[in-house]
Amino acid sequence: MAAPAFNNALVRWIDHRLPVFSFMHHELHEYPTPKNLSYWWNFGSLAGIVLVLMILTGVFLAMHYTPHTAFAFESVERIMRDVNYGWLVRYMHMNGGSAFFIIIYIHIFRGLYYGSYKAPRELLWILGVVILLLMMATAFMGYVLPWGQMSFWGATVITNLFSAIPLIGDSVVTWLWGGFSVDNPTLNRFFALHYLLPFAIVGAVVLHLVALHRFGSSNPLGIDVKGPQDSIPFHPYYTAKDAFGLGIFLILFAGVVFFAPNLFGEPDNYIPANPLVTPPHIVPEWYFLPYYAILRAIPDKLLGVIAMFGSILVLFIVPWLDTARVRSAKFRPTFRKFFWVLVVDCFVLGYVGANPPEGWFVIVGQVATFYYFFHFLILLPVLGLIERPLPLPQSISAPVLKPAEGKA
Amino acid sequence: MRRLISAALLLLAFGTAAEAAESTKPPAQHWSFSGMFGTFDRAAQQRGFQVYKEVCAACHAVNLLSYRHLRGIGYQEDDVKAIAAQAKVMDGPNDAGEMFERAGRPSDKFARPFPNENAARSANNGAYPVDLSLVVKARVGGANYIYALLTGYGTAPADVKIADGMSYNAYFPGRQIAMPPPLNADGVTYQDATKATIEQQARDVTTFLAWAAEPELEARKQMGLKVLLFLIVLTGILYAAKRKVWAGIH
């Protein structure tokens, strides 16, 4: 990269010794980006901003929080009542978690629709799945910290899943708990890890960006950038577009934080944890409901746990399961239909996960679970081989309609 | 613990929807504090505090409230001092190493009716009167549920058998509640001469408890309106900027 000529002498002096300004200029300013990115491409930068928001609010919450079973619940309420604007910081953090998952899920489905995971972006995709896994672990442990009824019983149920491991299962669970039940040592370590893992996420995000900037963003047409006429510099074009998207997000986010802060929460978590009283209906946070449905769809505990983790792990091999050579669903009419079936399927799983596993919920949950794996393991490879994609445009700047118009 | 966990997993497996379906859904009420512009009705909050103090406080604590918080429902500093002074608070140890009782101060937490859960249970037929600080937030249905519960006592249908010391309440999960009907018409005498019907008391004490659960509600909604207004203008400007930047790109 050729160092740009900076006007400021101090900047030049620093950049000569520590080329941070050249780096930023190269990666943010001139970084060539396809000119046809839609608003679906906003969610990556949005996720990054929410990650920063979560870390900042989280650091301030940690200054007032007490990770002890006897004080955790009240310390959270102290933040809500006596810490200046503590309610604001806590509600931003609490709803920020939900916002993060909404954004990430849209980001993932965007990748699935436009085939963003295909060569040469397989590692970019895999790093994204790693980020999802880290987020899930972080969110799960964060939900335990307020030490309400759902915190405690959620932690009990989820950690107990590990007891399904043959032979060493029970020992693993005891090891995870740091004792013989979910108790103070569990809360302590969850707090430590909840503070640690976000920085691991930051690390994974940096790698995700390095991988992204190697080949640049994919785009709605799914064809490669053929030359300078197909791309525009990231700044000011996409900084302006992302800023507008951020504004829309903040309006929605503020609407929830200020006017319906407990929209995504469970009332039961405002009851202090009580190991002697089981809530009538234990449910995880909404963003875990589809996995929870998969877990419960399978009558065998070990197989259920395997299926639940498998539902994420299968994402790692999606770049190789999808045999289609065309990236974007725009040119794959059959795949496009099945994509939307998958989206509906995930909502059905979420709905089933929110309800007790009885009556027709059991059957629907099993069918939806089957379809989830069917989509990835059977449909993706087969469809790629038999589907005839629509003709691709010549380049990003020469849209599909051009040749047809030329003929007319 | 093992048994507890298997019980939890069992519950998980079979659910308890049957039990939940046994109670009636509380009808929606109109509350001054709902909606984007909602604020607490100060007079109702103060009446509700009176109901809490004279009725509920016999069994239920509000552990998260201190007397100083009463400034938030319109009491002046001297009123708060006077209210706090009515309570007896155990303090100490003093220089002689002994615990002593003194009059309450605004910085004290609300006095509790029972020193611990065992004492509370033994005085209440084995049932534990829950802490009411967060009860409006901690129940499905929130304020509507609390109001419905307080006004929902009645005689049990012929086919329902009510256990000893229990009362029939259509809104309580399982429809049997250990708390006897807490409110009586004219059970309190309001200082502002409002007629103290059961519905009125229930409405007032629910308003008080809604505030106890979310004392930040008014500040939150007021700030929210300003923040939304700002963000809408900002986003409008950002959209215009985006249009201008992109004007030459096709």
Side-chain angles (χ1 to χ4, degrees):
Chain A
M1 59 174 141
F6 295 106
N7 292 327
N8 187 309
L10 179 63
V11 169
R12 264 202 311 276
W13 187 91
I14 294 175
D15 198 66
H16 187 64
R17 287 149 183 85
L18 179 72
V20 283
F21 295 101
S22 298
F23 174 79
M24 286 195 294
H25 183 85
H26 184 69
E27 297 300 334
L28 290 173
H29 195 96
E30 44 177 47
Y31 174 58
T33 313
K35 62 195 233 179
N36 60 334
L37 299 188
S38 66
Y39 278 106
W40 294 112
W41 265 259
N42 275 46
F43 292 89
S45 74
L46 209 48
I49 291 165
V50 173
L51 175 61
V52 173
L53 175 87
M54 292 303 281
I55 290 178
L56 287 179
T57 52
V59 167
F60 283 102
L61 287 175
M63 291 178 190
H64 300 280
Y65 171 76
T66 311
H68 187 286
T69 52
F71 306 106
F73 188 88
E74 279 199 31
S75 77
V76 171
E77 279 304 318
R78 212 185 85 79
I79 292 171
M80 294 296 290
R81 289 154 193 269
D82 291 338
V83 173
N84 290 331
Y85 298 105
W87 56 267
L88 179 58
V89 179
R90 197 250 173 157
Y91 276 156
M92 283 203 291
H93 196 76
M94 202 171 109
N95 289 297
S98 286
F100 206 176
F101 274 96
I102 292 173
I103 290 167
I104 285 296
Y105 285 152
I106 295 175
H107 192 61
I108 290 171
F109 276 109
R110 191 270 286 151
L112 287 172
Y113 185 88
Y114 290 109
S116 305
Y117 46 78
K118 290 189 191 177
R121 297 187 182 81
E122 301 96 325
L123 285 179
L124 173 61
W125 171 263
I126 286 174
L127 283 163
V129 182
V130 169
I131 293 171
L132 173 66
L133 278 175
L134 287 170
M135 273 176 66
M136 291 171 68
T138 310
F140 163 65
M141 287 190 268
Y143 193 57
V144 176
L145 302 185
W147 209 242
Q149 273 290 66
M150 280 300 164
S151 300
F152 179 86
W153 289 100
T156 304
V157 170
I158 301 299
T159 47
N160 256 303
L161 294 180
F162 291 91
S163 70
I165 303 171
L167 301 174
I168 54 166
D170 285 337
S171 314
V172 168
V173 173
T174 306
W175 176 73
L176 286 173
W177 285 340
F180 298 100
S181 66
V182 174
D183 209 335
N184 202 44
T186 326
L187 179 60
N188 273 213
R189 63 190 54 192
F190 277 21
F191 178 59
L193 292 172
H194 184 70
Y195 206 110
L196 170 73
L197 285 186
F199 299 98
I201 295 179
V202 170
V205 167
V206 169
L207 292 178
H208 192 66
L209 286 176
V210 171
L212 172 70
H213 282 228
R214 179 73 179 86
F215 296 101
S217 293
S218 165
N219 67 79
L221 294 176
I223 53 176
D224 291 326
V225 169
K226 300 261 164 60
Q229 73 281 6
D230 287 348
S231 66
I232 46 179
F234 188 82
H235 180 75
Y237 295 103
Y238 286 107
T239 38
K241 197 169 183 172
D242 283 352
F244 170 60
L246 174 66
I248 297 287
F249 164 75
L250 287 178
I251 289 173
L252 297 173
F253 185 60
V256 174
V257 166
F258 289 103
F259 299 103
N262 293 303
L263 180 68
F264 296 111
E266 275 292 317
D268 271 37
N269 222 29
Y270 283 109
I271 302 170
N274 185 347
L276 300 174
V277 179
T278 318
H281 189 182
I282 302 175
V283 278
E285 289 274 82
W286 68 265
Y287 37 77
F288 292 138
L289 290 175
Y291 315 110
Y292 197 48
I294 291 174
L295 167 75
R296 297 189 304 184
I298 295 173
D300 181 81
K301 188 173 172 185
L302 177 61
L303 291 179
V305 173
I306 290 173
M308 184 181 74
F309 285 109
S311 67
I312 307 274
L313 297 181
V314 73
L315 294 176
F316 279 111
I317 51 169
V318 160
W320 296 277
L321 286 174
D322 187 354
T323 48
R325 308 181 70 173
V326 169
R327 287 198 190 102
S328 174
K330 218 173 193 152
F331 305 105
R332 301 181 60 192
T334 318
F335 169 76
R336 191 163 62 211
K337 290 194 191 85
F338 282 111
F339 168 84
W340 288 111
V341 175
L342 178 71
V343 173
V344 171
D345 187 60
C346 289
F347 276 102
V348 169
L349 282 172
Y351 182 71
V352 169
N355 285 284
E358 50 193 21
W360 61 273
F361 283 121
V362 179
I363 307 298
V364 174
Q366 287 171 341
V367 171
T369 300
F370 171 78
Y371 185 80
Y372 181 90
F373 288 102
F374 173 77
H375 177 97
F376 286 109
L377 296 175
I378 312 287
L379 214 56
L380 272 188
V382 172
L383 211 54
L385 295 176
I386 61 172
E387 187 184 21
R388 242 187 97 210
L390 303 176
L392 293 175
Q394 289 297 309
S395 74
I396 289 171
S397 41
V400 214
L401 289 175
K402 271 261 174 75
E405 275 169 359
K407 257 184 245 164
Chain B
M1 198 59 217
R2 276 244 84 81
R3 230 180 327 150
L4 254 173
I5 291 156
S6 38
L9 289 171
L10 216 78
L11 268 168
L12 205 87
F14 300 107
T16 48
E19 192 196 33
E22 263 182 39
S23 62
T24 312
K25 193 174 160 22
Q29 305 288 329
H30 175 76
W31 300 104
S32 64
F33 50 86
S34 59
M36 284 181 82
F37 301 94
T39 52
F40 290 114
D41 175 347
R42 289 277 175 275
Q45 279 178 304
Q46 296 194 2
R47 287 195 302 269
F49 170 57
Q50 189 186 343
V51 174
Y52 167 74
K53 197 171 56 167
E54 293 178 14
V55 183
C56 320
C59 301
H60 291 278
V62 276
N63 214 7
L64 297 172
L65 285 188
S66 298
Y67 292 107
R68 66 188 161 87
H69 289 135
L70 290 173
R71 292 293 302 277
I73 62 172
Y75 285 106
Q76 296 307 307
E77 196 159 350
D78 291 336
D79 303 331
V80 173
K81 275 186 186 156
I83 292 166
Q86 291 168 12
K88 289 266 175 289
V89 174
M90 185 62 85
D91 202 347
N94 62 13
D95 291 347
E98 275 152 21
M99 303 302 281
F100 60 93
E101 254 190 2
R102 61 164 172 79
R105 292 194 283 251
S107 57
D108 286 321
K109 289 197 161 189
F110 271 43
R112 302 180 189 205
F114 300 105
N116 53 55
E117 186 177 331
N118 291 8
R121 280 191 191 277
S122 110
N124 286 284
N125 198 17
Y128 179 55
V130 293
D131 188 280
L132 296 182
S133 319
L134 282 165
V135 78
V136 171
K137 258 173 144 177
R139 295 291 181 276
V140 178
N144 292 332
Y145 168 76
I146 302 299
Y147 177 83
L149 187 80
L150 289 173
T151 55
Y153 285 87
T155 38
D159 57 328
V160 177
K161 186 149 167 34
I162 299 293
D164 264 2
M166 304 290 274
S167 301
Y168 179 79
N169 192 316
Y171 298 101
F172 193 72
R175 298 192 175 221
Q176 290 197 43
I177 184 166
M179 173 169 73
L183 302 173
N184 299 305
D186 296 315
V188 297
T189 310
Y190 283 137
Q191 283 155 354
D192 62 1
T194 304
K195 181 136 179 56
T197 59
I198 289 181
E199 287 76 18
Q200 183 67 41
Q201 294 176 60
R203 176 164 285 280
D204 291 342
V205 80
T206 304
T207 306
F208 171 73
L209 292 176
W211 166 79
E214 296 189 292
E216 88 295 344
L217 181 137
E218 289 178 355
R220 167 158 61 77
K221 290 186 176 176
Q222 278 159 21
M223 187 195 276
L225 290 172
K226 290 180 210 155
V227 169
L228 274 189
L229 206 63
F230 169 80
L231 284 175
I232 288 168
V233 172
L234 175 75
T235 306
I237 294 171
L238 289 172
Y239 183 63
K242 188 257 164 191
R243 288 286 299 260
K244 189 155 189 287
V245 166
W246 280 75
I249 302 286
H250 297 290

